[in-house]
Amino acid sequence: MTTVATTATSSLVDIAHDLVGSGRGILAADESIGTMSTRLEKAGVEPTETNRRDYRELLVTTADLREGVSGVILCDETLRQRLSDGRIFPHALDELGLLPGIKVDTGARPLAGSAGETVTEGLDGLDARLAEYAELGARFAKWRAVITIGDRTPSRWALWAGAHSLARYARSCQDAGIVPIVEPEVLMDGDHTIWRCAPVTAAALRTLVDELTVACVDPAAMVLKPNMVVAGSTCPQQASPRETATATVEVLGAALPDDLAGVAFLSGGQDPDVATANLAALQEVPAPWPLTFSFGRALVSPALQAWRGDPRRVVDGQAALARLVGRNAAVLRTPSRRR
Ligand code: 5MM
């Protein structure tokens, strides 16, 4: 990726570095209203606006969260909500020493001309929304493209459409003074092997880097949030952490520029223990960029189960989150990390 003169300022580079280069990870608490409501209902919690707020308040007010987490990704609803003490979330995060982030895509929709693939939407009106989000205190943003592995997928058309949208989004973010997190997610759904996930992830990243280059996105002022290269969730032959780490860094290394600010992996539905083991193994493989986490489910699922909407169990939910954040942050700080 060529770095050309852009409006990306050194402060964007500094924020990107704080996000991924400070030995901490990012908490993805940006589930859309629909996804969050489904997860609350599964945990026996009524999916109201107040309960979604209470749950996010539980997460972000966990004691010492900033020791292991640099920033928190929120959705539009949460960014505008107030904690019970009256502060809006971005101001509270700021005061808690956490960078506030905002998911700005509006979700995946069917892609015309594809065999059941999707493209992520949200470019209409994006520049105006980014300006408002910056005003509300957001320092970074996130957009996720979804890539499926099947007999006939992913198509070149879907890879290009997803990458092109991510590049337009990233460029708009940097112009608005917001660090983009760029998330091309190859889903774990299916019985494919790790050896099928590797070339698909490589193709997705090559296509993405081409589009980012054309859009003159400054790699030093952005964060990549990819999937780890893993076997499909129903594949009988699951890869070991060492195989996962080696394949992942090989694929990333062939596609990404060395001056990228860093890589923050999604968990993608991996069991929390497996996600941590893979993250630890990744620290053993030399790479030119920091390799950290931007987990959602692998950090928060046990917290939601421990809380289940009961105010008396907030402390249990926070303990569950603190345990997983601490465990993942600890593996980033092991002395074996080599670059
Ligand atoms: C893929 O999901 C992202 C990372 O979370 P996991 O570590 O659980 O995979 C996550 O940021 C995701 O993008 C948000 O939860 C938003 O999802 P929806 O589909 O609700 O917009």
Side-chain angles (χ1 to χ4, degrees):
M1 201 186 312
T2 325
T3 306
V4 299
T6 70
T7 52
T9 63
S10 60
S11 76
L12 287 189
V13 174
D14 292 344
I15 292 168
H17 177 78
D18 279 356
L19 276 171
V20 288
S22 58
R24 296 176 295 168
I26 300 166
L27 171 59
D30 60 313
E31 301 90 342
S32 54
I33 292 175
T35 304
M36 190 67 249
S37 298
T38 305
R39 290 187 186 160
L40 287 176
E41 276 177 314
K42 274 195 188 146
V45 185
E46 202 189 336
T48 62
E49 186 178 338
T50 305
N51 284 339
R52 290 191 293 272
R53 195 279 314 268
D54 289 351
Y55 170 62
R56 265 62 178 258
E57 177 165 348
L58 174 158
L59 297 178
V60 305
T61 58
T62 295
D64 300 325
L65 189 60
R66 69 176 175 189
E67 299 296 319
V69 159
S70 55
V72 183
I73 318 173
L74 305 172
C75 68
D76 181 270
E77 179 185 62
T78 316
L79 194 80
R80 299 171 192 282
Q81 285 177 323
R82 291 179 186 277
L83 278 71
S84 41
D85 64 11
R87 292 177 295 172
I88 63 167
F89 270 78
H91 292 174
L93 288 180
D94 212 28
E95 286 169 19
L96 289 161
L98 298 160
L99 290 163
I102 175 72
K103 185 251 297 295
V104 302
D105 68 65
T106 57
R109 303 278 182 280
L111 172 65
S114 76
E117 294 177 283
T118 61
V119 65
T120 299
E121 296 192 342
L123 290 170
D124 286 353
L126 178 62
D127 291 343
R129 286 194 290 129
L130 287 170
E132 190 198 1
Y133 289 141
E135 195 67 30
L136 284 166
R139 312 294 293 280
F140 70 99
K142 198 208 81 174
W143 178 294
R144 168 174 169 248
V146 180
I147 297 144
T148 50
I149 295 183
D151 290 344
R152 292 195 294 145
T153 63
S155 64
R156 280 180 63 200
W157 169 226
L159 289 181
W160 178 83
H164 181 74
S165 300
L166 277 167
R168 284 190 59 191
Y169 141 80
R171 181 61 209 225
S172 286
C173 283
Q174 291 187 343
D175 285 359
I178 288 180
V179 170
I181 294 187
V182 172
E183 182 179 1
E185 180 183 8
V186 177
L187 294 180
M188 277 175 63
D189 300 353
D191 62 0
H192 53 270
T193 64
I194 186 173
W195 308 119
R196 172 103 168 97
C197 181
V200 169
T201 305
L205 293 178
R206 271 197 314 269
T207 310
L208 173 63
V209 170
D210 282 351
E211 294 302 307
L212 291 168
T213 303
V214 173
C216 296
V217 172
D218 181 354
M222 66 161 265
V223 171
L224 183 77
K225 177 170 172 170
N227 54 285
M228 298 176 192
V229 174
V230 292
S233 52
T234 55
C235 175
Q237 195 189 347
Q238 291 295 313
S240 69
R242 178 183 268 199
E243 286 169 326
T244 297
T246 305
T248 301
V249 174
E250 192 177 308
V251 165
L252 266 54
L256 305 179
D258 283 1
D259 57 346
L260 181 72
V263 176
F265 291 100
L266 58 89
S267 60
Q270 296 179 62
D271 174 87
D273 291 342
V274 173
T276 305
N278 287 338
L279 186 68
L282 279 158
Q283 308 307 311
E284 302 291 329
V285 186
W289 343 265
L291 301 177
T292 185
F293 60 92
S294 175
F295 295 162
R297 287 162 285 178
L299 289 180
V300 300
S301 299
L304 178 55
Q305 284 309 317
W307 172 57
R308 292 197 303 275
D310 184 344
R312 291 165 305 179
R313 294 173 61 99
V314 165
V315 64
D316 302 308
Q318 293 185 325
L321 176 63
R323 186 174 58 80
L324 285 178
V325 166
R327 212 175 59 176
N328 284 289
V331 307
L332 304 179
R333 295 170 189 154
T334 50
S336 58
R337 184 75 177 105
R338 302 183 304 269
R339 300 245 164 81

